[in-house]
Amino acid sequence: MKILIVGRGAMGLLFSHYLIDHDISIKSRTNSTSTTFSFTNINGLSKQCHFNSAFDTETSNADCIICCVKSYDVSTVIAKIAPYINNQCPIVLTNNGMGVIEQLQQKLNITNPIYALLTTMGAKRLSPNHIIHTGIGKNQMGLVSGSANEVQEDLINILKSSIPSFTYSEQIVTLQWQKLAINCAINALSAINDINNGELSNLNYKSTIEDVIRELIIVAEHEGVPLNFDNLICTIYDVIDKTANNSSSMREDVLKKQDTEIDFINGFIYRLGQKHKIATPTNAKLYKQIIDLTNSI
Ligand code: PAF
């Protein structure tokens, strides 16, 4: 199976490293010709990974696309390669947050099978060609749009045998909301306070995390997705613990003065809250704080 990985940021290179023994090619924004990167694992051991760069031919020949760009870039990046994508080719999205699939369907009229791959793994780019694996986590994938075709079974088998803690789920919508809850609780708070994920286990943050989740549960209920408060809080503290030394993606974006995924995380809850006429003051506050923070730097 020919796999096209789109994006060579921390997550793109993390997934590329796991899939390096397969027929992968990596497409980057700059069409970089560099074909090597260093990967440092969670225990500090490093190795060199070699890969092919992807151009239009590799895009046309791809049997599967794994899109590893931030939520705010997905529709732009997919729009650029859309003319070359075979309409049966599954597209796997790894971005945080929710709302991207609707953008792809509305703006681009994409009918390919689309999968969400929800990851709680952490990785950091030390330089353009060196990443470090900073947090172990789970990887859950499911079909979110379009219909499965004959490629699905091969794809799932490859991902299961290559990516740690990988499972395929038919309950992907509930899992998307659970992952959204993790990001709503961790990302903005860690960015605003400029702290690693582990510091969020401090009791000072408990009431904010709980309020964020209470609001999210009410919004999810209005979207037809029942969620359990105690289970979510337990999962969130488990992720905080397992990624304790990780600097969240939003904190990294703020530190690098880049766009953040806030529109697709707390901003998504805030917008849906407005649609359903539900007050979401804690999510709204975090949303506005991140907007202010990114506008001020
Ligand atoms: O966005 C992130 O940083 C990650 O999704 C997570 C799981 C919060 C770990 O840092």
Side-chain angles (χ1 to χ4, degrees):
M1 174 179 280
K2 294 188 188 333
I3 303 175
L4 174 75
I5 296 182
V6 178
R8 48 173 300 165
M11 292 319 281
L13 296 184
L14 181 62
F15 282 113
S16 301
H17 148 266
Y18 284 120
L19 292 163
I20 207 77
D21 293 334
H22 295 278
D23 187 354
I24 64 161
S25 50
I26 306 183
K27 183 160 188 64
S28 63
R29 200 191 301 263
T30 53
N31 267 344
S32 159
T33 48
S34 160
T35 53
T36 309
F37 66 91
S38 306
F39 175 81
T40 303
N41 76 11
I42 215 105
N43 302 317
L45 296 175
S46 296
K47 72 173 187 186
Q48 292 287 104
C49 300
H50 303 278
F51 63 92
N52 293 322
S53 288
F55 299 96
D56 297 344
T57 316
E58 285 75 14
T59 307
S60 312
N61 292 340
D63 300 307
C64 162
I65 295 175
I66 304 185
C67 184
C68 300
V69 301
K70 299 286 176 107
S71 38
Y72 50 79
D73 272 337
V74 175
S75 58
T76 314
V77 163
I78 297 289
K80 277 195 190 140
I81 60 171
Y84 307 99
I85 305 176
N86 163 348
N87 64 6
Q88 290 300 308
C89 178
I91 302 175
V92 180
L93 303 178
T94 65
N95 57 276
N96 281 329
M98 287 177 76
V100 166
I101 288 136
E102 292 75 3
Q103 274 190 348
L104 287 182
Q105 289 163 335
Q106 285 157 17
K107 284 197 200 159
L108 302 177
N109 209 6
I110 292 269
T111 55
N112 295 51
I114 302 180
Y115 295 82
L117 200 177
L118 311 172
T119 183
T120 52
M121 295 192 298
K124 187 173 173 163
R125 204 154 74 145
L126 296 181
S127 72
N129 289 319
H130 186 188
I131 60 149
I132 176 165
H133 194 358
T134 49
I136 45 175
K138 282 197 293 197
N139 294 288
Q140 298 165 305
M141 188 174 92
L143 183 67
V144 286
S145 174
S147 338
N149 56 34
E150 65 281 1
V151 181
Q152 175 171 299
E153 202 181 319
D154 277 0
L155 172 64
I156 294 175
N157 286 337
I158 288 177
L159 298 182
K160 254 191 195 151
S161 60
S162 316
I163 296 176
S165 307
F166 177 92
T167 48
Y168 186 80
S169 172
E170 302 290 345
Q171 267 75 53
I172 194 67
V173 175
T174 303
L175 297 178
Q176 278 183 297
W177 276 91
Q178 289 170 355
K179 173 74 198 305
L180 181 69
I182 294 169
N183 290 126
C184 280
I186 296 179
N187 292 35
L189 265 183
S190 62
I192 293 160
N193 295 290
D194 196 13
I195 51 176
N196 278 347
N197 294 355
E199 291 182 54
L200 290 173
S201 60
N202 188 306
L203 282 181
N204 289 344
Y205 302 108
K206 187 169 176 275
S207 67
T208 307
I209 292 178
E210 290 185 355
D211 289 346
V212 162
I213 298 309
R214 274 191 203 98
E215 293 170 11
L216 177 141
I217 288 176
I218 300 171
V219 171
E221 242 165 49
H222 279 73
E223 290 285 303
V225 182
L227 297 168
N228 177 285
F229 178 80
D230 292 337
N231 289 349
L232 281 184
I233 292 292
C234 189
T235 308
I236 288 162
Y237 280 100
D238 187 47
V239 174
I240 287 175
D241 183 45
K242 292 216 169 80
T243 62
N245 297 325
N246 195 27
S247 175
S248 78
S249 53
M250 193 171 291
R251 178 184 179 212
E252 286 300 303
D253 287 339
V254 168
L255 290 173
K256 288 184 201 140
K257 304 182 194 319
Q258 289 173 181
D259 271 347
T260 74
E261 298 184 300
I262 195 70
D263 273 330
F264 300 86
I265 301 180
N266 306 86
F268 180 77
I269 297 299
Y270 174 46
R271 278 196 310 281
L272 274 186
Q274 286 181 318
K275 176 181 150 195
H276 293 299
K277 303 200 177 354
I278 300 163
T280 58
T282 320
N283 282 281
K285 187 175 172 197
L286 292 178
Y287 170 71
K288 286 177 184 155
Q289 278 179 289
I290 290 292
I291 299 289
D292 288 348
L293 199 59
T294 43
N295 283 342
S296 68
I297 48 181

